Structures are given as C-alpha cells and as structure tokens.
Amino acid sequence: MAKMKFGVGNNVSTDSGFTPYEGPLPKPGVIYPVVQKSATIRLTGENSKNPGTPYVNTMWEIESGDCKGYTAWHRLIPGEHEIQQTRIAQYMQAVTGKNMADIVHEDVEDGGKVKTIGGRKPEGVKAGMTFQRKKDTRNAIEGEETPWTAESADIIPGWKPKTKVEAEDEAEPVEDVEDDEDDVEPEEEEDDDAEDEGDDDSDDEDEDSDEADEDEEEGVAYEDAVKLSLVELKKLAKQYEYEDSDLNPFKGPAGKKKLLAKLIEDEIVLAEESDEPPF
C-alpha cells in the first residue's frame, strides 16, 4: 500500500485571518462596515472562459453590528464586462483612491500574497460592503432544504457607519414604527425556535408575535425602490438571482415601470396596500 507524508514544517504560521462565524447572514440592501484581512493573486481554473488569467482574491470581515465577524471573499477578475470593471474600480478606489494602481505580489507558485497596491498594504483597509443572498447548493444535504448563504456584492469606498448620535437623529419616532410594518427588516429563522418555546399562558403575546413574523418578509419597501434608477433596480434584481437575460427587455423609463411592477409581483419590492397600483 502506498504511503506519503503530507504537510508543512512546524515553523509555518497557519493564521490566515479567518475566524469561525455562527451569527445571522448579512441582509441584501444593507451596507456593512468591513475591513480587509488579506489579498492574494490566483489564476482562473480550466473551466473558466479564459483559463490561467490572474485575478485578485480578497478576504473581508464585518467589523461591527449583528453580523460582526462574518467573512466574505471578494474576487476581482479582469474583463470587458461592466460589472467586472465596476468591481475593480470600487476596490481600487477603496484601497488607493484611484481606479488603477500597480500591485506588488509574490509569485503565484509562492502563494501569490499581495504586498502593496499603489504603495499601500491591503490589510486593514476599511470600506462599506453590500451583500446578495444565494442558495448554498455546495453545502446542500440531500433530502433537506437548501440553505442560504450571503456573498459580497459591492464595495463602497470611503463609507463609514453613522455614529450613535447621527443614527438617533435620523431614527423615526417609536410610535411610527408600529404603523409601518412593511418596512420592518426580516428577522433570522432562529425565531421559529423561540415561538415553539413560548407556549405558556401569554396567548395574546404569541398571537402578536405570529402576526409580526408574517409581516416580516425578504424584500425592499416600495418607497425606497421607486427612488432607484433602472440600473439600480436591475442590480437589486440580480441580488435575488435574476439573470441578465431576464433583465435585458427592460429599457428606458417604461422599462423601469415594468421592472418595478415585476419585482412587486415577485414580492421583492413590498408595495403598500392600496386599491390602486403604486405607479
């Protein structure tokens, strides 16, 4: 029977900056404060359109809030597509303040670690990041419901979270929150267990909790969606797994109205209850 020794020397560090995470998934449409933990140069695989193309593979971590510690990979693959160029420009602006810069790195065979970008180390760079949710088919278990995962969408250069004072100044009065139940952000699925444990003499409280859970949906409020441009609406649709082929027919002002109607129909945009259409 064949045998081989596999591993590395005892003096090699295994600290990649990755830490286990057990919190909720980041929500679509929300900007989270992130810090860059590492950046390396990799090559696209044999099944890609252009095998062997160098790309930048970056790792970020959410710094604060309910999702603190969530780790996300953000890959920058060069190409002519608008999305590829936008992602690269966003990243370069976050690191260097310019759309283009020289990258100094190790050879791919030696790990490809990025030393500097435009003369600046990538580790420690802070920015804002939005996320999109997708079905995690890679970790799906046969016979069970496919879980969801959150992937990086956009990097917002120079973004900083509001201070506590700024957040309180912009916060709506408490009495108004109850009237706008459609605007409530969805809770994580952990609430299902809490409902099961709450079967006591507080029946009224349970009924109120059930009604609140029904009202909390994944989606974007109509009053926010109607302010978006057609390009921004298409970007929102892609976060909910729309393909380019699905979105190509929507063009111009009329296309925006039709796409908004489609997103309302698919319950991605949550329209206010009314006897007439919201547009």
Side-chain angles (χ1 to χ4, degrees):
M1 181 178 292
K3 182 173 70 173
M4 66 179 292
K5 191 170 185 178
F6 189 84
V8 295
N10 295 329
N11 296 326
V12 177
S13 172
T14 58
D15 182 10
S16 65
F18 176 81
T19 55
Y21 177 81
E22 298 179 353
L25 289 178
K27 300 172 184 177
V30 177
I31 303 176
Y32 292 87
V34 293
V35 59
Q36 189 169 196
K37 307 296 288 186
S38 67
T40 54
I41 300 297
R42 293 286 182 263
L43 301 178
T44 55
E46 296 180 356
N47 296 327
S48 66
K49 185 176 181 180
N50 298 304
T53 300
Y55 68 93
V56 184
N57 192 31
T58 68
M59 185 173 74
W60 301 74
E61 185 177 285
I62 295 179
E63 280 197 290
S64 60
D66 294 339
C67 299
K68 180 179 180 180
Y70 186 86
T71 301
W73 294 97
H74 193 77
R75 295 170 176 84
L76 307 168
I77 302 177
E80 299 297 326
H81 197 285
E82 180 182 355
I83 293 179
Q84 291 174 305
Q85 296 191 13
T86 298
R87 286 169 71 93
I88 293 173
Q90 288 175 341
Y91 177 79
M92 288 298 180
Q93 283 285 343
V95 179
T96 69
K98 299 180 291 185
N99 289 346
M100 184 182 299
D102 292 331
I103 298 179
V104 178
H105 61 89
E106 297 176 346
D107 291 336
V108 176
E109 293 79 6
D110 296 328
K113 181 179 180 180
V114 173
K115 300 291 189 178
T116 60
I117 301 176
R120 182 179 180 183
K121 291 184 177 181
E123 293 86 359
V125 170
K126 297 185 179 183
M129 180 177 286
T130 59
F131 291 81
Q132 56 186 344
R133 289 189 178 182
K134 292 185 177 181
K135 288 286 188 178
D136 189 7
T137 54
R138 181 176 301 178
N139 295 315
I141 300 176
E142 185 175 356
E144 296 185 8
E145 183 178 355
T146 304
W148 288 87
T149 185
E151 298 180 355
S152 64
D154 288 311
I155 290 177
I156 296 86
W159 183 86
K160 296 181 180 180
K162 294 182 177 67
T163 65
K164 184 176 181 181
V165 173
E166 290 173 333
E168 290 176 350
D169 287 344
E170 295 183 6
E172 296 182 359
V174 176
E175 58 269 23
D176 292 340
V177 175
E178 297 179 356
D179 296 333
D180 297 329
E181 293 182 347
D182 286 342
D183 293 337
V184 177
E185 292 289 352
E187 294 291 338
E188 295 302 318
E189 296 178 358
E190 296 171 356
D191 291 343
D192 294 339
D193 296 334
E195 291 178 10
D196 294 337
E197 296 173 0
D199 294 332
D200 52 21
D201 55 351
S202 55
D203 295 335
D204 293 339
E205 294 181 3
D206 289 344
E207 292 177 3
D208 292 342
S209 176
D210 292 341
E211 292 175 0
D213 289 340
E214 291 175 359
D215 288 338
E216 292 176 349
E217 305 175 60
E218 287 285 355
V220 178
Y222 170 76
E223 61 184 20
D224 294 329
V226 76
K227 299 176 184 177
L228 302 178
S229 66
L230 178 58
V231 173
E232 291 170 327
L233 277 178
K234 287 185 177 182
K235 184 177 292 187
L236 171 65
K238 288 181 179 180
Q239 293 181 9
Y240 288 85
E241 301 184 18
Y242 280 70
E243 302 293 337
D244 287 334
S245 57
D246 300 327
L247 301 174
N248 287 337
F250 299 101
K251 299 178 180 179
K256 176 183 175 180
K257 291 183 179 180
K258 291 179 181 179
L259 178 55
L260 186 57
K262 176 64 175 173
L263 295 178
I264 292 173
E265 180 182 347
D266 293 344
E267 299 183 349
I268 292 173
V269 172
L270 307 179
E272 297 179 356
E273 294 184 2
S274 173
D275 296 332
E276 300 181 357
F279 48 80

